[in-house]
Amino acid sequence: GAGVSQSPSNKVTEKGKDVELRCDPISGHTALYWYRQRLGQGLEFLIYFQGNSAPDKSGLPSDRFSAERTGESVSTLTIQRTQQEDSAVYLCASSLRNGNTEAFFGQGTRLTVV
Amino acid sequence: QQQVKQSPQSLIVQKGGISIINCAYENTAFDYFPWYQQFPGKGPALLIAIRPDVSEKKEGRFTISFNKSAKQFSLHIMDSQPGDSATYFCAASRATGKLIFGQGTTLQVKP
């Protein structure tokens, strides 16, 4: 596709349920990021995939959060046993090579935990 | 050492004025410093970026000033327009690492 695609665009879930967020990066981009943005706040780093290297998971806030990426394509961010504090916009970005090239962001998934 | 500190948190400028946003970093291994612009409901988009081998980069009304010794860089928006009203994020990275973002600055340009 032309840009980074995220789905769903909006997700409302009940507290305690698991959710899965999807990111389709730009074709050929080897680097992929997930960020969390709470209302009116900055971009909180979650996880970074770079090619075949082990992902940088240093930003995942708890073991309820996990992410996978198949090769250099789709990534899924899974949040287990969702809590109200997980409510935020989850942004995915991809870049051609690494952290030193332009990152292109998707529109985000707005997650609301009720 | 991985942090990027951004200020101010919010900024109000009159149309035609100069908007200035500042960032500071600690990790001297960083070698790429982009600025992103985010409009409500949208993902951030790259505005302008600089590498530490130059002290200034200008693209239209947007200029990055970079001070390697002070480990600071700033975004200047000349002739600010209401359409520039958005949230601006500075960031830093190194070749093998992730992009680390500042906390963001909400800019309002008054007509």
Side-chain angles (χ1 to χ4, degrees):
Chain A
V4 177
S5 177
Q6 291 187 246
S7 60
S9 54
N10 282 283
K11 176 72 177 178
V12 180
T13 190
E14 291 181 352
K15 178 181 173 181
K17 300 278 190 183
D18 297 353
V19 294
E20 196 171 272
L21 312 181
R22 178 186 169 106
C23 174
D24 282 272
I26 294 172
S27 178
H29 281 196
T30 62
L32 186 146
Y33 305 81
W34 283 97
Y35 292 89
R36 178 169 69 180
Q37 187 172 32
R38 291 196 168 106
L39 187 63
Q41 302 297 310
L43 295 163
E44 180 186 0
F45 168 76
L46 297 177
I47 189 167
Y48 169 54
F49 295 91
Q50 174 49 55
N52 294 320
S53 302
D56 180 340
K57 302 180 180 181
S58 59
L60 294 177
S62 76
D63 59 7
R64 296 186 296 106
F65 288 73
S66 63
E68 292 183 349
R69 186 181 187 192
T70 307
E72 296 182 354
S73 61
V74 171
S75 176
T76 54
L77 176 69
T78 302
I79 308 173
Q80 296 179 311
R81 306 182 302 282
T82 52
Q83 304 294 314
Q84 287 188 330
E85 63 263 28
D86 299 334
S87 296
V89 175
Y90 290 82
L91 289 161
C92 175
S94 70
S95 65
L96 187 59
R97 292 191 307 274
N98 53 33
N100 280 19
T101 53
E102 178 178 358
F104 293 83
F105 282 82
Q107 299 275 59
T109 293
R110 181 175 298 278
L111 176 66
T112 304
V113 183
V114 297
Chain B
Q1 200 179 23
Q2 290 283 24
Q3 286 186 331
V4 177
K5 296 183 179 180
Q6 183 172 347
S7 63
Q9 188 174 3
S10 63
L11 182 61
I12 300 175
V13 173
Q14 290 294 129
K15 178 182 175 182
I18 302 173
S19 304
I20 302 174
I21 305 170
N22 301 297
C23 283
Y25 63 98
E26 295 184 358
N27 189 342
T28 55
F30 288 149
D31 58 5
Y32 176 64
F33 302 90
W35 285 88
Y36 281 77
Q37 180 187 55
Q38 185 180 33
F39 293 104
K42 304 290 187 183
L46 180 68
L47 188 62
I48 185 172
I50 197 168
R51 299 188 189 273
D53 52 343
V54 296
S55 60
E56 186 175 282
K57 183 174 181 179
K58 184 175 180 179
E59 290 184 2
R61 295 184 295 109
F62 301 92
T63 300
I64 299 179
S65 297
F66 184 80
N67 186 330
K68 189 174 181 178
S69 61
K71 291 185 284 186
Q72 295 176 347
F73 58 111
S74 60
L75 176 69
H76 291 64
I77 306 175
M78 312 299 288
D79 187 26
S80 299
Q81 299 296 312
D84 297 330
S85 297
T87 301
Y88 293 81
F89 294 96
C90 63
S93 71
R94 54 187 174 87
T96 57
K98 56 188 177 284
L99 264 178
I100 298 169
F101 284 85
Q103 295 85 347
T105 297
T106 300
L107 170 65
Q108 182 184 358
V109 181
K110 290 193 169 183

